[in-house]
Amino acid sequence: MQARTVESIGRGWLFVRGDSAVYAHPSFDASGWERVNLPHDYQISQPWVPPGADEKADLSNAVANVKSRLSARGFKEPGPAWYRRSFPTDTAWRGRRVFLDFGGIMLTGDVWLNGHKLGGTDYGYLGFEIDITPYLSKEGDNVIAVRADTGSPENSRWYTGGGLYRDVKLVTTDRELYFTRHPLQITTPVVTDSLATVVIRAEITNRLKADPMRVQLSISDADGYEVYARDCDVAFIRRTRTNEYMVDSVVVTLPRLWDTETPHLYTARLALIDPSGRERDVIEQKFGIRSIEYSPDFGFRLNGRKVLLKGIANHHTLGALGAAAYPRAIEKRLRLLKEFGFNHVRTSHNPYSEEFLDLCDEYGILVVDELYDKWLKQYAGGRRDWTEQWQHDVPEWVKRDRNHPSVVMWSLGNELQLLWDIPFADWGVTPYRLQKTLLNRYDTTRPVTVAMHPRGRSLDSDSIPAPLALETDIASYNYRYMYFPGDSRRYPRMIFYQSEANNSGMGPNYYEMDLDRVVGLAYWGMIDYLGESHGWPAKGWAQGVFDISLRPKPNAWFLRSIFRPDEPVVHIGVIDAADNTVWNDVQVGTESLSDHWNRREGSEVDLYTFTNADEVELLLNGRTIGRQRNDKTDPKTRNRIRWQRLPYKPGQLEARAYSDGQKKPVAIHSIRTAGKARSLSLVPDTISWRADGSDLMYVDVFAVDSKGTIDPAEDGEVTFTVDGPAEIVGVANGDMTSSESLTGCRRSLWRGAVSVILRADTIPGSITLSARHPRLGTKSITLPTK
């Protein structure tokens, strides 16, 4: 066999909701269970649970905006479920080490093999491995049984999803000489344009009695060119023990640096060679050569260049897919964010999947990597006290993520400095110090922070930061950027990062910061998500600039005009309604906007033109309505020009943006009145996808008139069918108040649009997707996999 084998066993699991101890027994007959493939979120297909009669009895409005015990959890009932899968024992495994690698089990989980309970997780956002070698069956199949539990409603403040929502891998290695879990630490202490130093350390287990061993090291660039190779002797400190070793310090000349615009990645390959010359274990790790610096004077520098973090803080879920961590779904989001000028993600409030960080490395996204929400049992799985848990969680998290160049800051928690029941009763200072000490055992190359609650100032005076804010390497304030100047004068060493910024304050909360000195900001909830509902019938957060189906709302272009100042932007956003929602004492509600031109005859319209140009001309049916300047001196109105009481007439409304001194517009956006929809239009998000069992295809379906314009008034249910090696895994239309399912083959049009998500099988072939509407008929598209 190869020195190390890694096989995904994500396909062919059996699944059932509910709970019984007999499900763990290897002889139990589970043939009647549902067949599923990983990643799998068992909560996303559950029915919505509206507020009960007792939860709305004392409210005057018994339908709209009613909160319940499940508002935070997306109105899905939490509870346990089971998975089972069998596999044969390979005769080639004799004398080898065999283990299971779980990417995570949401929210907590336990694992049995052949009836033996072997391990699990108390915090489902982190993975774990189980050595199953002694428990493998010598005859017949092996049976894995997994129990997942999403806890009680109070165990999370958002929709978590549930089950085997990440991949499971079967790994084999040599039994006597092997690399441990997350064994490598690759750092780049010296980085210049002409040369860089790469230091590689490895954790190795040696149970051989022979000595010396060698580590065969090679480093290749992204084109596959080998830039370094060497055999390194390793003198083991103690045989039969696990130890960490300095493998090599490598000088790379003319390095290709990892950056947000040119995210070049190298690959280190390490092989363990015994005295006979046999290759016992092999591991590969991608890494980037880059330097990061922080200072109160300039905020953040990447490779010596000032970079402002322009980011998003969102939960880990993926719209209609729930928590199922499909790499393709993650990639789609990162590409969308990058297109609109984002360069940063804060993983609120827990570690995302390893595949997420791989993709951030690939696309040049800067990550603030967050471990916890609150340092309490309630929010860290709910079944084990947090004081017994963090000693395990911190090493697993840091060792897993430390080689990713995209990770530029560690965050240990969120909005917890006001909680008196945090251990040691000193507003989080001692727990922070303990965790940071352990964290620094595994990485000292990045600063450590905790995001501060907007109300969390000192008990002595609101003009002084909380004690925890003075303790962290980076002062991370949720929403309260207005404290930066005063706190900076009192405490000149403080480095500031706006760890959450609200959509309703977009513009001022960016331009009113000293952009030359701050690290940057992360806008909260810029992609709508399930959970944290402000009340039924809304199933989740809907204040983002992208809806849950990932279609941009008009104010996405407002943010784009801010984040991409060198790209001329103009976009029309018609004001439909106001929203004054308050969350954590911060107004997060925004005006509801749309960008269609189907309005009531004789009405007057208020709207915005979002632009980073100097001036906008507005034309209706070819005639100029007016011109307005973009006042770039006023942070409250910059890039957002308001037009009031415009008489509505059907036709075409066009916005033309001009830069000073230019007669031709630098950007144009127009919207026109749609006629009655005549047909469906199917638009796939890519032309090529892989038959690998996990690749996805997103298809938008629009109700269009004879000229191809979307009719926002068209509704009605669309029924999808698939012919070929693929399946439907999600349907969405952007309407957070809908009580239709996010799974299945039916979903109604909303504002003339709906989306369907297909998952490829492992067999390549021709796939036909058909969409049928009761009035508009059927439209099909062919989507072959390769």
Side-chain angles (χ1 to χ4, degrees), residues 197 343 723:
T197 302
N343 65 9
D723 182 18

Side-chain angles (χ1 to χ4, degrees), residues 182 184-188 258 263-266 284-292 302 351-369 396-410 443 445-446:
H182 311 312
L184 300 185
Q185 181 180 18
I186 303 176
T187 57
T188 54
W258 186 92
H264 187 88
L265 293 171
Y266 290 84
E284 291 188 354
Q285 176 69 58
K286 289 185 178 181
F287 68 97
I289 296 177
R290 58 102 173 106
S291 67
I292 59 173
L302 177 64
Y352 288 8
S353 67
E354 290 185 78
E355 291 82 1
F356 165 80
L357 292 177
D358 289 339
L359 287 162
C360 287
D361 292 344
E362 181 181 338
Y363 282 95
I365 302 292
L366 303 167
V367 176
V368 172
D369 197 353
E396 168 66 19
W397 169 57
V398 176
K399 292 173 71 177
R400 190 197 74 165
D401 297 351
R402 63 187 173 184
N403 295 319
H404 290 278
S406 56
V407 176
V408 295
M409 191 190 307
W410 304 112
D443 182 70
T445 66
R446 301 165 175 91

Side-chain angles (χ1 to χ4, degrees), residues 4 82 94 124 175 186 230 257 315 342 373 380 492 593 641 651 659 688 703:
R4 174 180 289 251
W82 284 76
R94 188 170 299 161
R175 185 180 290 184
I186 303 176
R230 183 189 172 204
L257 303 186
H315 296 305
F342 291 81
D373 182 18
L593 307 176
I641 300 171
S659 292
S688 178

